Amino acid sequence: MRLTNDNPMVGRSDVERIYPRMVELRRLLHRYPELAFEEAQTARMIMEELDRLGIPYEYGGIGGGIVARIAGKSEGATVALRAEMDGLPGVETTGLPFASLNPGKMHACGHDGHMAMVLGAAALLKDDPPPGNVLLIFQPAEERGGGSRVILRSGALSGVKAIFGGHVTGHYRVGEIMVAPGVLTAQSDGFLIRIQGRGGHGARPHEAVDAVVVAGLLIVAMQTLVSREVNPVYPSVITIGQVSAGSAPNVIAETATLRGSIRTTLPEVRKHLLEGLERMAKGIGDLHNARIEVIVNEGYPPVVNTLVESEIARRAAGKIVGEKGLVSMEYPSMGSEDFAYYLQEIPGCYVRLGARREGWEHIPLHSPAFDFDEEVLKIGAAFFDRVARDAIEAYA
């Protein structure tokens, strides 16, 4: 959706003024994506822009983050705005003139846009400082590794009253912002299951314990954990994404490996699924004389927006896109996001920024063909600018 005459964004000459620079930054960052904890060139480009704007910052080095500070006109509350620096592994197929120049890496999740938005908000806040302080957080490794914890461990957010972040999405059109209190995303846990059978000749199955058969039974059984043991009104997902077994068509596999993820929104459901996984693995292993080991890697916790900060964000978003542009969420996303770690220690709100142009086919995040309408950069910068100012005023 293009900005129309009934949209509050129209007439914001300050945003229009910085828009070309945001586009330039987004495209520059898009050309040189880097993976988690490797964001050296990305950090350098951000610091060059902060130097150009005259905004002081501290840098934790490669694998660390950048924390910049805009000092207010007077002593007021300190709030934080966050963007992620890392890209994803993948071969870009967008065909864009500014497509990735780093083989096997691309910005398939919009982090290039998030960085450009926060830098745009930085320019607006620097030109007219609010009566408080704003920290600009550029963190590493959102996609894997929980880079937000690097920022938290640094102590840079000490004394911060609230933190705000956002993500572009093709589920909403440009000019729409989704703001909701409470649980926004799911807990994400990974698992690895190792099955130890006894190999043998394909013609003599009675002499072996077939790890492939055991794996197949376990795959089917695991689906019933969600479909038959969890209340259908509680969102939960078990996905087995990788299966490895066997060495030849006429050899009974001695070992098999399953890898997957579990997504939940309630602690009690998560506990039940993890215990159920162990129970089924033990039962099927005992039934077929196989040894089964289950290893769970704890993932990101749910993003839980705090009530007061969600209302601040909603009012700020309404000033940018109008009441018609505000979108509510009926159900939590089953995706995950390491912004959750910030919200475990600091009140805050995470929003979704509509990035689909009218008439565009929806292309999901993490797709090699992912792109977004750059008009959303205006919305994002204006929102981050507004929510920082409104939050500082609210805490006065």
Side-chain angles (χ1 to χ4, degrees):
M1 181 177 75
R2 291 295 176 181
L3 303 178
T4 58
N5 289 331
D6 61 352
N7 192 301
M9 277 291 296
V10 172
R12 281 207 59 168
S13 59
D14 52 351
V15 177
E16 293 293 339
R17 173 179 55 81
I18 65 170
Y19 178 59
R21 179 57 180 166
M22 284 193 289
V23 170
E24 183 181 357
L25 287 167
R26 182 259 165 153
R27 295 182 179 187
L28 181 63
L29 291 161
H30 190 91
R31 282 191 181 98
Y32 301 102
E34 296 170 297
L35 301 183
F37 295 120
E38 299 174 0
E39 307 94 340
Q41 187 174 11
T42 301
R44 187 163 60 250
M45 289 186 284
I46 291 170
M47 290 186 287
E48 287 173 357
E49 182 64 9
L50 292 170
D51 286 335
R52 190 186 72 84
L53 294 170
I55 298 173
Y57 57 85
E58 294 184 1
Y59 176 42
I62 298 173
I66 301 168
V67 179
R69 175 182 289 268
I70 297 174
K73 298 174 184 175
S74 58
E75 283 300 320
T78 298
V79 301
L81 307 174
R82 174 270 210 164
E84 323 94 302
M85 295 192 291
D86 57 326
L88 284 160
V91 178
E92 183 168 353
T93 62
T94 62
L96 294 168
F98 51 90
S100 172
L101 298 178
N102 290 345
K105 304 171 187 177
M106 72 170 291
H107 273 297
C109 204
H111 295 183
D112 50 338
H114 303 163
M115 289 182 278
M117 290 174 190
V118 171
L119 287 168
L124 299 175
L125 291 160
K126 181 68 166 53
D127 284 350
D128 181 18
N133 303 308
V134 181
L135 299 187
L136 312 169
I137 310 300
F138 299 92
Q139 71 154 77
E142 188 281 321
E143 294 294 349
R144 63 172 179 85
S148 59
R149 290 176 291 187
V150 172
I151 303 296
L152 288 166
R153 286 195 297 266
S154 74
L157 301 188
S158 176
V160 169
K161 295 285 290 184
I163 186 167
F164 299 92
H167 206 297
V168 296
T169 174
H171 287 110
Y172 307 122
R173 298 174 298 172
V174 171
E176 295 178 327
I177 302 178
M178 188 282 291
V179 187
V183 177
L184 196 72
T185 69
Q187 167 93 31
S188 168
D189 295 304
F191 62 82
L192 166 65
I193 299 176
R194 294 194 181 103
I195 300 168
Q196 179 69 51
R198 186 170 65 248
H201 197 291
R204 301 181 182 87
H206 59 288
E207 297 176 354
V209 174
D210 193 337
V212 170
V213 170
V214 176
L217 291 169
L218 187 55
I219 290 169
V220 173
M222 285 167 58
Q223 303 309 308
T224 66
L225 283 170
V226 171
S227 66
R228 289 297 177 268
E229 295 192 22
V230 174
N231 188 327
V233 302
Y234 300 147
S236 51
V237 177
I238 293 180
T239 296
I240 300 163
Q242 288 183 308
V243 180
S244 304
S247 58
N250 64 339
V251 175
I252 292 175
E254 183 162 332
T255 62
T257 301
L258 309 179
R259 289 182 172 86
S261 67
I262 297 175
R263 307 289 174 119
T264 53
T265 57
L266 293 175
E268 57 268 32
V269 173
R270 176 177 181 262
K271 181 174 183 289
H272 180 83
L273 291 181
L274 293 177
E275 290 176 348
L277 193 59
E278 293 278 2
R279 168 170 49 87
M280 287 188 169
K282 182 180 186 306
I284 290 174
D286 290 345
L287 185 65
H288 292 277
N289 294 315
R291 295 197 309 274
I292 303 179
E293 178 187 19
V294 179
I295 301 170
V296 175
N297 299 309
E298 183 175 344
Y300 298 164
V303 169
V304 184
N305 286 337
T306 49
L307 186 60
V308 170
E309 287 66 34
S310 296
E311 183 56 32
I312 291 172
R314 185 169 181 82
R315 288 199 304 268
K319 294 173 184 177
I320 304 305
V321 298
E323 286 298 318
K324 290 183 179 179
L326 290 175
V327 180
S328 296
M329 183 183 66
E330 294 184 16
Y331 308 104
S333 164
M334 297 310 289
S336 62
E337 162 61 62
D338 84 341
F339 195 80
Y341 292 116
Y342 294 120
L343 296 179
Q344 288 183 332
E345 300 188 24
I346 305 167
C349 182
Y350 188 78
V351 307
R352 304 281 187 186
L353 299 156
R356 189 182 79 247
R357 184 183 301 172
E358 195 72 52
W360 275 21
E361 175 190 359
H362 170 60
I363 298 176
L365 299 171
H366 291 211
S367 164
F370 176 75
D371 189 23
F372 59 84
D373 187 348
E374 289 175 330
E375 288 283 311
V376 72
L377 300 177
K378 297 179 187 178
I379 304 289
F383 167 74
F384 283 125
D385 170 66
R386 186 72 266 159
V387 77
R389 296 178 190 277
D390 286 1
I392 288 170
E393 182 181 346
Y395 303 130

